[in-house]
Amino acid sequence: MNDLRKKVQIKELISAERNKNFEEVVIGYSEEEAVSESQRCLNCKNPMCVKGCPVNVPIPDFIEKIKERKFNEAYKIIKTENFLPAVCGRVCPQEKQCEGNCIRNKTGDSVSIGKLERFVSDYYSVNEENTAEKNNKKIAVIGSGPAGITCAGELAVKGYEVTVFEALHIPGGVLSYGIPEFRLPKKIVENEIDKIKNLGVKIITNVIIGKSMTIDDLLYDGYDSVFIGSGAGLPRIMGIPGENLKEIYYANEFLTRVNLMKAYKKDSETPIKIGKTVTVIGGGNVAVDSARTAKRLGAEKVFIVYRREEIPAREEEIIHAREEGIEFILLTSPVKFIGENGFVKAVEMVKTKLLESEKSGKKDFCEIEGSNYLFETDTVIIAAGQTSNPIISSVTPGLKIYGNGKIFADSETNQTSIKKVYAGGDAVTGAATVISAMEAGKKAALAIDKYFKNEPETV
Ligand code: FAD
Ligand code: SF4
């Protein structure tokens, strides 16, 4: 019978209007739609969806509760493993994780696990209390992105006194300053952060660890352990001529100006100028978000230029971007920015082709000799990757780093090269995903707890 039921499709704002405003694009399920979609779940004995979820949310169990219309119970089940379900329901690459593993893919569409997660998270409005007995251990968490917030929440419910130090004036990390309102409304992030604060977690903003105080200061001041979740906020410089011309932005700066500093408002003190034609370099979520934001700020033509063929951004966002009029130029790479009076006016591009051999899961590519051409543009946004900021590592003796300034952490415990100092998320892996940062925060919290429960052989 289940096989005959059709997937409940998501609803979206009408394309023609939505690329002119910052309202959330995807409209969540109604109660009836959520129940109907939940009935497509087969409650598998060996649920592959759970195996695809980095934090192992008991997916069929929470979906069963939706079938029974016990939405609050469904939420509580998700919350046992995931501290940011309203965020994950919106931004996780479900097609590569839980939904990508759902058995229903074999005969049609997977169950819309992400949309169901979002539904119960938006439905739940109870303020939880933390009933854990205090254990008199103090933990400092650096950074309030998904890694730091998850680590803080996990430790708080285990009885630890947790203080989060955040460099910016608003907590949330990329969830607040990076992912735009039309994908992840700020009130959703605020609600999730409020729930963490309700657990007793203290968040202190405007403190840059490494400048205002160091990790040594924190340990000296009585913190028993430190978790570093400082992210990868430093843009990767492409290193091609003309990169410092005016009207060339790095995506992080561009999105921060728009999201956090409200540059899209006419009376905002933070300026942002968008030309008629905007060229975005890169193919990840950051590039797609930048392009869709530029369109909403009034750009007439927006192009995404990517050197490979398969765009790594979330599937849903690519579809939405196309619907909103964003054009993709694939197998193309910029080699030079050309200016006039100090302002960018064109990009010299070169065509690329993929090579047969595969390295690290991605196909290699090379430039096609003689295929260069000029592409006129008024604004460029570079979204070609980010790396960790060296502020912390440069003033923390003994903190081992690797690769492009990433912090080394043990893959099992997330302990760094310094005892009682842990790290996780983008600061350790380089730019990745919300859920992988959460997984790292959770792992570190479990390792910290194990350490203080006197099981030092595991750390
Ligand atoms: P962050 O979220 O970067 O948080 C780090 C925090 O630490 C920041 O608030 C920063 O201000 C603070 N900090 C840094 N240094 C210090 C210091 N010295 N002292 C105090 N505080 C400090 N992932 C997805 O899964 N799905 C998506 O759709 C998606 N879209 C994205 C869109 C954009 C525009 C961007 C930029 C990223 C996107 N990602 C997405 C990636 C995802 O957001 C990140 O992988 C994730 O946020 C990493 O979490 P984190 O906690 O490690 O770091
Ligand atoms: Fe339900 Fe799909 Fe998970 Fe099976 S794999 S339990 S059908 S969501």
Side-chain angles (χ1 to χ4, degrees), residues 38 40-50 59-61 63 67 98-99 101-105 110-113:
S38 71
R40 295 181 60 245
C41 174
L42 306 172
N43 197 4
C44 305
K45 283 214 161 53
N46 178 21
M48 298 309 288
C49 52
V50 179
I59 294 165
D61 297 356
I63 295 183
K67 287 182 194 167
C98 53
E99 292 179 15
N101 280 275
C102 173
I103 197 80
R104 273 200 162 269
N105 283 315
S110 74
V111 174
S112 289
I113 302 166

Side-chain angles (χ1 to χ4, degrees), residues 139-390:
I139 313 292
V141 169
I142 305 171
S144 62
I149 285 296
T150 302
C151 186
E154 288 281 351
L155 288 168
V157 296
K158 289 180 170 49
Y160 291 83
E161 188 184 325
V162 187
T163 306
V164 179
F165 296 93
E166 168 55 50
L168 296 173
H169 61 287
I170 290 174
V174 168
L175 309 180
S176 294
Y177 79 75
I179 304 180
E181 178 78 15
F182 55 83
R183 265 211 309 132
L184 180 61
K186 299 304 152 243
K187 71 169 188 329
I188 299 289
V189 181
E190 278 162 29
N191 281 345
E192 297 285 55
I193 303 266
D194 282 349
K195 285 182 184 154
I196 297 286
K197 286 187 188 160
N198 275 336
L199 299 175
V201 172
K202 203 157 126 193
I203 301 183
I204 307 180
T205 52
N206 295 316
V207 181
I208 304 178
I209 302 298
K211 283 209 188 296
S212 315
M213 59 207 300
T214 63
I215 289 182
D216 278 350
D217 293 337
L218 292 170
L219 292 169
Y220 185 79
D221 283 353
Y223 286 97
D224 296 286
S225 179
V226 176
F227 174 78
I228 311 170
S230 50
L234 203 66
R236 191 173 74 81
I237 311 289
M238 297 187 77
I240 61 174
E243 208 166 339
N244 56 1
L245 285 165
K246 289 184 195 129
E247 304 312 327
I248 299 184
Y249 296 92
Y250 287 101
N252 262 18
E253 180 208 347
F254 172 73
L255 291 170
T256 304
R257 283 194 195 199
V258 179
N259 281 331
L260 222 52
M261 298 167 175
K262 314 270 181 257
Y264 60 91
K265 288 189 175 170
K266 284 207 168 66
D267 55 356
S268 164
E269 285 179 13
T270 313
I272 202 144
K273 206 173 144 218
I274 285 290
K276 280 186 184 167
T277 303
V278 176
T279 305
V280 180
I281 315 288
N285 285 314
V286 188
V288 177
D289 281 347
S290 301
R292 296 173 73 196
T293 299
K295 190 84 186 165
R296 281 164 171 77
L297 292 176
E300 285 172 17
K301 288 255 172 207
V302 182
F303 300 91
I304 288 182
V305 176
Y306 188 50
R307 58 194 181 174
R308 298 173 192 274
E309 204 166 23
E310 261 178 56
I311 302 170
R314 270 185 97 222
E315 198 174 37
E316 190 175 89
E317 313 312 333
I318 300 169
I319 296 168
H320 287 160
R322 286 211 164 96
E323 287 171 356
E324 289 168 12
I326 311 295
E327 294 173 54
F328 289 80
I329 304 175
L330 303 177
L331 292 171
T332 303
S333 184
V335 288
K336 190 177 179 182
F337 297 112
I338 293 149
E340 194 175 77
N341 302 325
F343 289 83
V344 69
K345 68 161 197 166
V347 189
E348 183 182 329
M349 307 279 198
V350 65
K351 298 300 292 175
T352 61
K353 66 174 176 192
L354 296 178
L355 296 174
E356 289 302 309
S357 69
E358 284 195 18
K359 266 190 199 163
S360 64
K362 271 185 174 181
K363 274 192 180 145
D364 271 345
F365 70 94
C366 70
E367 293 178 359
I368 303 174
E369 220 183 299
S371 64
N372 298 39
Y373 68 100
L374 281 190
F375 189 83
E376 285 189 17
T377 192
D378 306 305
T379 308
V380 171
I381 303 171
I382 302 175
Q386 295 108 243
T387 183
S388 307
N389 197 309

